[in-house]
Amino acid sequence: MNRISVAGPSITDLEIEYVTDAARNAWYERWNEYNERFEAAFAAYVGVPYAISLPSCTSALHLSMAALGVGPGDEVIVPDITWIASAVPSTYVGARPVFCDIDPVTWCVSAETIERAITPRTKAIVAVELYGSMPNWTEVLDMAARHGIPVIEDAAEAVGSEFMGRKAGAFGATGVFSFHGSKTMSTGEGGMLVTSDRAAYDRCVMLRDQGRNPATRTRLWNEEIGFKYRMSAVQAALGLAQTERMPELLAKKREIFGWYAARLGEMRCLTLNAEPEGVLNSYWMTTVIVDEAMGVDKEQLMARLDAVGIDTRPFFYPLSSLPAFAHLPDVRSAEERNPVAYSLSRYGINLPSGLNLTETDVDRVCAEVREALPEPARV
Ligand SMILES: *Cc1c(COP(=O)(O)O)cnc(C)c1O
């Protein structure tokens, strides 16, 4: 039987057409055309005025830190459960991440979990929209405004999600996206920074281009030391086609979740991704948390599915538990501070959620999950 992949994009003739045109023609006077079109289309999709195409979401986070003036001695609050890229860019500017707990329902930060981690050194907050889920943005932004701390919105996993009718990426001082091959929208590797703040936009445009100010007349005039963070035209062409197809990609992600929910939603020992009132979840990855009482941890369940040709991923390990951060002063006591992060992480896995998935694949996955987790008959 074919292996079922855990993640992957949907590529059609539209992508091939744009990419072919970019490879042939996006040079000379047309060198920036696809980047401009991609940025304009993506900003319109998210509902913000400014977007900057970048080589990765990691670079978008790095630029956000630099533009917000985060520096040596500062602390940046990051949820303990996320991909490591949410936390690492704080260290590129000499700051350090402080890991906060997540909410048991949304699996994202909440006003309360962030507030417990604030100190006089807190300079920024990275709020992650885990697996397409949304935090309660009203409460998070109110709390952050009260403390005067800017929020960077890590929407890498949430393109297309909504909270109260507003799209992911539109809530933070900056919103950052990833177009890695595993994400809902892909350019192979790539990222985007969006913002509604003209000053932040101008600052990021300058910093990402070796400190060149596009407003100055001399092309090779560097006003300060910056970074080289540009996306190629061929990638931008892929991104433009994917942006035009976003409604379709989002519908497919939601359909995949619906297939799983119809087969696993009734199992009392499982919790699936949440979609509270007022939220539209883009379900980047359908995820199940197995009830602790079943005595099956994530590694056991993953090994069992792997043996029958089903690729899965572990729910992220708490960042505070990783060797990469073992040098930080407060990680040893993190399990006490972040009990939700630690308990969910132990029993969660991401099920196959690639955009090539069929309902027959989902049947096969769900049959194996049911067999691995026999529930007592209902009375
Ligand atoms: C994928 C991901 C990133 C990093 O994206 P890259 O494009 O690989 O740099 C950052 N944050 C989260 C939450 C992610 O899932």
Side-chain angles (χ1 to χ4, degrees), residues 81-204:
I81 296 289
T82 177
W83 175 232
I84 192 169
S86 305
V88 164
S90 65
T91 70
Y92 297 170
V93 294
R96 77 176 175 86
V98 170
F99 303 117
C100 75
D101 207 1
I102 54 171
D103 178 87
V105 174
T106 66
W107 307 340
C108 299
V109 292
S110 69
E112 191 221 323
T113 64
I114 295 168
E115 203 159 27
R116 274 193 266 131
I118 290 177
T119 77
R121 291 168 184 256
T122 307
K123 186 73 180 217
I125 296 158
V126 177
V128 179
E129 293 160 332
L130 201 78
Y131 307 134
S133 187
M134 296 293 261
N136 184 324
W137 275 113
T138 313
E139 292 176 12
V140 168
L141 293 177
D142 278 0
M143 181 279 306
R146 252 189 290 116
H147 290 274
I149 303 170
V151 179
I152 297 166
E153 180 181 0
D154 185 344
E157 304 178 359
V159 65
S161 292
E162 294 178 14
F163 178 84
M164 303 293 198
R166 255 171 101 192
K167 283 224 163 58
F171 293 90
T174 64
V176 297
F177 292 88
S178 172
F179 308 126
H180 177 260
S182 65
K183 299 293 183 355
T184 296
M185 239 185 83
S186 182
T187 60
E189 295 283 356
M192 190 77 86
L193 183 151
V194 302
T195 183
S196 300
D197 176 351
R198 178 74 208 210
Y201 171 75
D202 287 341
R203 187 85 192 110
C204 290

